[in-house]
Amino acid sequence: MKRWMIKAIGFVIILYSLYVLIGKQIVMPIMGNTAVGTVAGFKAKGYNRTPVSRSYDKIWQARTAYVRFIPQDASDSITILSDGNVFVSLLNYHQFQTVKVAYWKGKPQTASIINWREYPMLLFILLVGVILVFGKYS
C-alpha cells in the first residue's frame, strides 16, 4: 500500500509538471493570446498576495512576479500574479523588466510568463516525480 501511494504521488507530480511545462510554456503561446508586459512587483512572503517592489538579491530566494499587460480587446491594463511557475522562478526578474506573457483566449487572469527562467525548477520537480514513480523501494 505504501509503495502504491508513493508511485501515485509521483505520477501526479509528473502530470502537473508536464502540464505546466508543455501546456503553459509551449501550447498556450501557440493556441492562446500573447502580449508584452512588464514586471510590476513581486509576491510578498507567505500567504500575503500584496505586491512588493523588489525581489531578493540571491538566486535561490526569487519570488513570483506580478505582471502588468494589456490583453487583446481591452482598453486598460491588468496586473496579475504570473501563473507559470507556482513554486518559484529559479532566476530573479527585475522590476519594470519587459516579459512575454501568454494566456488562454478570453481569460487574461490565466497569464503566464513565457521565459526559459520558468523551466529549471519545473524540470527538477519532474525529476522528483520520475524518481518516485520508477524508483526501487525496499
Side-chain angles (χ1 to χ4, degrees):
M1 180 69 169
K2 191 183 287 187
R3 287 183 191 170
W4 178 84
M5 186 63 90
I6 290 172
K7 289 186 184 285
I9 291 170
F11 188 68
V12 168
I13 290 171
I14 290 171
L15 286 177
Y16 170 76
S17 299
L18 289 177
Y19 166 70
V20 172
L21 190 64
I22 295 170
K24 297 266 184 177
Q25 294 291 319
I26 297 171
V27 174
M28 188 186 291
I30 296 169
M31 297 183 71
N33 294 333
T34 59
V36 175
T38 58
V39 175
F42 304 93
K43 183 177 177 281
K45 285 185 176 182
Y47 296 105
N48 187 356
R49 306 251 308 158
T50 306
V52 295
S53 62
R54 72 182 222 43
S55 182
Y56 290 113
D57 295 328
K58 296 184 173 121
I59 190 172
W60 56 85
Q61 293 180 330
R63 293 183 180 175
T64 305
Y66 278 91
V67 180
R68 178 171 301 182
F69 65 99
I70 300 175
Q72 273 186 340
D73 304 328
S75 60
D76 197 15
S77 66
I78 63 169
T79 302
I80 55 108
L81 185 62
S82 174
D83 193 25
N85 190 346
V86 296
F87 296 107
V88 68
S89 299
L90 184 65
L91 299 173
N92 286 331
Y93 292 102
H94 304 290
Q95 191 167 17
F96 308 118
Q97 179 179 352
T98 303
V99 292
K100 181 179 178 183
V101 177
Y103 57 93
W104 296 115
K105 292 182 181 179
K107 297 181 181 178
Q109 65 275 11
T110 62
S112 176
I113 295 174
I114 306 301
N115 195 322
W116 65 271
R117 295 175 189 229
E118 303 291 325
Y119 296 154
M121 186 62 85
L122 284 171
L123 293 175
F124 175 74
I125 293 169
L126 181 65
L127 176 65
V128 169
V130 168
I131 289 171
L132 290 176
V133 170
F134 298 109
K136 299 202 182 237
Y137 304 102
S138 53

